[in-house]
Amino acid sequence: MKKFSSVFLSIIFVVSLTHAQFSEDALRYTSSSASLGARAFGMGGAFIGVADDYTASFWNPAGLAQLRRLEVTGGISSIGIDNKAGFLGASQTASTSSTGLNDIGYVFPFPTVQGSLVFSLGYNRRENFSSLMKFDGFNSQSSIIPTLYQSDGDYDVPYNVYLENQNGYTPITRNVQQTGTVKESGALNEWAFAGAIDIAENFSVGVSINIITGAYKYVRNYLEADTKNFYVNTQSGLTADSAYLRFNKFYYDNYLDADVNGSSFTFGLMYRSEVFRAGLIAKSPAVVSIKETYNDEGESVFDNTGTFSALPKTTYTTPNSTNTYGVTSPWTLGGGVSVYVLPFVLVSGDVEYSDWTQLEWTDNSDLEKTNTSLQSQLRPVTTFRFGTEIDIPSTDVRLRAGYAVKPSPYKGDPSSYDTQIITGGAGILLQRNVLLDAAIGFGSWKTFRTNYGYNTSRTDETLSTVQMNFTISYRF
């Protein structure tokens, strides 16, 4: 898990009816990236004031009014993630990748006497959850084992593998090698039905109704080991209740699967002229519900330096548990402009504002009590995106470039924790009706995670991504 305040420490390992939630869980299920559509992505996501293809349903639905022909479009996205984690003076790099459908949509301009009336229907990928982190280091100050004590023995993994007694006592409190892998996967998707209409000459309004679905999977494989022989006992006939005196290794694994469902709306305005376009958007709060299924597994290994009166049980799996809750995001307000500074050079810029102090837990009375603490960790942020597109004269080729910066929503984070991305791309018109677009983006940011407690076992992470988008569109 990533960042959390001390208020949440008391519920970190509660595994009864309420599974511990953190601020990054709330952010994860209400976020959206700026990578939909190869053309928009190639321009850094600065598309609110452009929005002249199917992806307007995501960026600014009012832009759909610019389309005069039927359009069918589809795209895929592939992302590679490198994560360099610093842990207790050591560092490790882990890499993973994910490829999937980015969008698929249909645009239908309705015949009108004047003006424009356009509808669209399609699928958009809002966010990709793929990540991988590895760490390995010697912790002379603490161990995870004392933090896992549960009064309910069915959920106390160390107790059930003889690493603590029924009162939570264990001598294993520090001087352990800690090794782990954290893998996340899944995606947040939306099914969008959008429409736009001209309400005056060159002025359109639009709305998109978004049905949100998604799945998230979290797996942590964690190991603590007595690599420096701090826990050695050669006594013969040691009872199982004292097996922890001969501690060698503790494997602790966490598994979580979540299903996500929700909805949101996007409202848009756009003014158009031959050289200038301006757009405004308002994204309603995303209201989502999450159902989680999770369990933990543990295994202990003891030194072979004496004998046991009875071999202790060394593996245990907690019962499967479920947890349900909801999250409501804040409103997001945005604006964008695009200008033809030359007949063949388009420049665009976007700004979006979200006040994350309005993020809320819902549909779970225990979590709702912590909303004030959740909101105290967060801050308002303003995202900036810039892009350009150049029509190569006497060809059917367009070149694109862009830049975007999305500040961290956590209060007090330095600028190095902001997500920055540099993009480039190209498009080519094949025959008259087929447009092929490709884009690539390089992203980077920093963050951290805590394995337990508060900064007693922390990884500082530097992430970098390479994402490629490909979109093909056919206009009738």
Side-chain angles (χ1 to χ4, degrees), residues 76-329:
I76 60 172
S77 174
S78 179
I79 184 169
I81 305 107
D82 291 331
N83 187 347
K84 183 178 181 181
F87 178 71
L88 300 172
S91 64
Q92 279 196 320
T93 299
S95 300
T96 189
S97 62
S98 174
T99 301
L101 190 65
N102 188 248
D103 65 275
I104 184 168
Y106 175 71
V107 178
F108 177 74
F110 196 83
T112 59
V113 175
Q114 61 182 5
S116 178
L117 176 62
V118 183
F119 296 99
S120 73
L121 177 67
Y123 160 89
N124 305 322
R125 173 167 285 196
R126 289 171 61 100
E127 190 66 272
N128 188 333
F129 296 145
S130 296
S131 73
L132 182 66
M133 187 269 291
K134 294 182 178 181
F135 63 90
D136 187 11
F138 186 79
N139 192 333
S140 62
Q141 301 300 314
S142 68
S143 161
I144 196 174
I145 294 173
T147 71
L148 298 178
Y149 171 70
Q150 296 291 325
S151 58
D152 186 341
D154 285 342
Y155 295 96
D156 193 324
V157 175
Y159 171 72
N160 283 284
V161 295
Y162 292 90
L163 292 178
E164 69 181 21
N165 66 22
Q166 62 182 356
N167 297 318
Y169 169 76
T170 177
I172 309 161
T173 58
R174 57 179 183 159
N175 293 321
V176 289
Q177 189 78 17
Q178 296 178 334
T179 306
T181 299
V182 177
K183 183 175 178 61
E184 297 170 284
S185 58
L188 201 62
N189 315 303
E190 69 178 22
W191 294 92
F193 175 75
I197 186 171
D198 278 341
I199 59 174
E201 186 177 3
N202 298 326
F203 187 73
S204 58
V205 298
V207 62
S208 177
I209 303 171
N210 311 310
I211 305 302
I212 300 170
T213 63
Y216 170 71
K217 185 172 184 177
Y218 173 91
V219 177
R220 178 175 71 164
N221 304 120
Y222 180 87
L223 167 66
E224 284 195 350
D226 181 25
T227 57
K228 297 188 178 181
N229 293 321
F230 280 92
Y231 304 97
V232 176
N233 185 290
T234 60
Q235 180 180 344
S236 299
L238 199 67
T239 64
D241 288 341
S242 299
Y244 48 57
L245 298 174
R246 206 173 287 164
F247 168 71
N248 183 272
K249 292 184 180 69
F250 174 49
Y251 296 92
Y252 180 56
D253 301 323
N254 312 111
Y255 303 94
L256 183 147
D257 289 279
D259 291 320
V260 185
N261 293 280
S263 61
S264 69
F265 299 86
T266 303
F267 305 93
L269 300 172
M270 177 171 277
Y271 173 78
R272 314 182 301 271
S273 71
E274 290 187 2
V275 297
F276 172 83
R277 285 173 289 184
L280 295 174
I281 62 164
K283 297 180 180 178
S284 76
V287 180
V288 298
S289 59
I290 299 98
K291 181 178 181 180
E292 296 178 340
T293 302
Y294 57 93
N295 76 292
D296 302 334
E297 296 180 358
E299 179 180 354
S300 57
V301 177
F302 301 100
D303 291 329
N304 187 24
T305 55
T307 61
F308 287 105
S309 58
L311 185 66
K313 181 180 179 181
T314 60
T315 61
Y316 184 75
T317 299
T318 65
N320 283 338
S321 299
T322 60
N323 186 35
T324 60
Y325 58 95
V327 183
T328 299
S329 69

Side-chain angles (χ1 to χ4, degrees), residues 24-45:
E24 70 271 14
D25 294 318
L27 290 164
R28 176 189 306 113
Y29 299 127
T30 55
S31 64
S32 61
S33 65
S35 59
L36 186 74
R39 184 180 177 215
F41 186 52
M43 298 176 68

